[in-house]
Each structure stands twice: as C-alpha cells, then as structure tokens.
Amino acid sequence: MARYSVNNYTVDVLLADIKSGNIAIPEMQRPFVWDATQVRDLIDSLYKGFPGGYIIVWQKPSVKLKKVLIDGQQRITAMAAAIVGQEVLDSHYKWKRVCIAFNPIDEIFEVANSANQKSSKWIPDIAKVLGVSFGSFSFVMEYCQKNGIMDKAQEINDTINRLRAIQNNSIGVIT
C-alpha cells in the first residue's frame, strides 16, 4: 500500500490552497531567502513551459486537517510574490514586495528597477496582469498605442495570453 500520492495542481489552484489555509507553511520555514533574480528566473521558466518541480506536503491520514508544506516553500513563496503580489517575510524578518517586470515586445523578465518602471515598453509588475480583474483587450490597445506598435497588437495580445497562462502550469504535489 502506497504511503503517498502524487498529483498535479495548477499554479493558481496551489496558490489558492496556500492562501485559504488548506496547505499551511510552518512558522519555522517562513523567512524567504531567495533573491529577486531567483524569483525572476522561476517566472521565466514557467513562462517558457519548463516544469516547476515537485513540492511535498504532509498530512496525517487519520486526521482531516490541512496539509503542511515540508518541501518547496521557497518556490511557492516566490510564485505568490510574483504572481499575486503577496509580500514576503525576508531573512531579516522584514516584509517586502518582490516585483517582476516584463517586456512583451522582447518577451523578457527583469527584477523591477527604476529603468523598467519608467519605460513604456515594460509592464512594471506582472502581478497586475495576472490578476482576475485584468482587462487584456484595453491593456493591449493602450500598450501598443503608447509604444507606436499598433501593427503588432495581435502579437502583443498573444504574448500577454502566454504570460497569463503561467497560472495554468502544472506543479507536482507529493502528499
């Protein structure tokens, strides 16, 4: 009899389970130690369709309580920071935001900085584009107009849809 199960969850379902408390992150694991470039690299990998690896959760079979995350906390926290804009508790026990910027023309990610925050070619924080209330059509039209690329509106729309699709990537969960 197997003492574990392996399932796939989409990124958005997994993050919703963390947010709702169905999967808990133990207090002793709370500080986030990745630097912003590691968060950027994870998002870039998800965008390119690479697997996000497995996370491991523990749940006592006889108890119907929440699951406890025992491996993968840094990846989950990185995704929550970049995708839903959640603040992270860093290794100095200070709350901070990790913003990832995206250039839809060149399809590249960068850690948000003053240069890409001021440039009309960059989306300064992908969390806004990945939000449920994001209006793709109006964004694409405004973006293309600002950058003088109305002839590329369909390409930019396709790129934005690929960016939004990272929420549908599959993450393996071993319970």
Side-chain angles (χ1 to χ4, degrees), residues 126-145:
I126 63 168
K128 292 181 173 91
V129 173
L130 299 173
V132 292
S133 62
F134 177 74
S136 184
F137 179 78
S138 60
F139 172 83
V140 168
M141 291 295 109
E142 184 180 321
Y143 180 87
C144 290
Q145 188 174 22

Side-chain angles (χ1 to χ4, degrees), residues 57-69:
V57 297
W58 176 85
Q59 181 178 29
K60 188 172 180 178
S62 61
V63 180
K64 296 286 184 197
L65 295 176
K66 63 179 130 189
K67 298 172 183 176
V68 177
L69 183 66

Side-chain angles (χ1 to χ4, degrees), residues 22-80:
N22 290 334
I23 298 176
I25 300 174
E27 287 294 326
M28 66 186 170
Q29 292 183 7
R30 289 285 172 146
F32 184 65
V33 296
W34 277 19
D35 64 38
T37 58
Q38 290 173 292
V39 177
R40 179 209 55 208
D41 292 347
L42 175 62
I43 297 302
D44 185 58
S45 293
L46 291 172
Y47 180 77
K48 290 176 178 169
F50 295 125
Y54 284 89
I55 66 164
I56 301 174
V57 297
W58 176 85
Q59 181 178 29
K60 188 172 180 178
S62 61
V63 180
K64 296 286 184 197
L65 295 176
K66 63 179 130 189
K67 298 172 183 176
V68 177
L69 183 66
I70 58 173
D71 185 50
Q73 183 256 345
Q74 297 297 305
R75 277 175 289 143
I76 293 295
T77 303
M79 286 186 280

Side-chain angles (χ1 to χ4, degrees), residues 9-21 23 75-84 86 167:
Y9 290 80
T10 60
V11 168
D12 62 341
V13 167
L14 195 52
L15 292 176
D17 277 352
I18 299 287
K19 186 176 181 178
S20 70
I23 298 176
R75 277 175 289 143
I76 293 295
T77 303
M79 286 186 280
I83 293 171
V84 287
Q86 180 177 310
Q167 299 173 96

Side-chain angles (χ1 to χ4, degrees), residues 107-124:
E107 296 186 67
I108 56 174
F109 294 90
E110 283 297 332
V111 175
N113 60 47
S114 60
N116 58 37
Q117 297 289 302
K118 293 175 187 170
S119 172
S120 63
K121 292 183 179 178
W122 287 85
I123 297 168

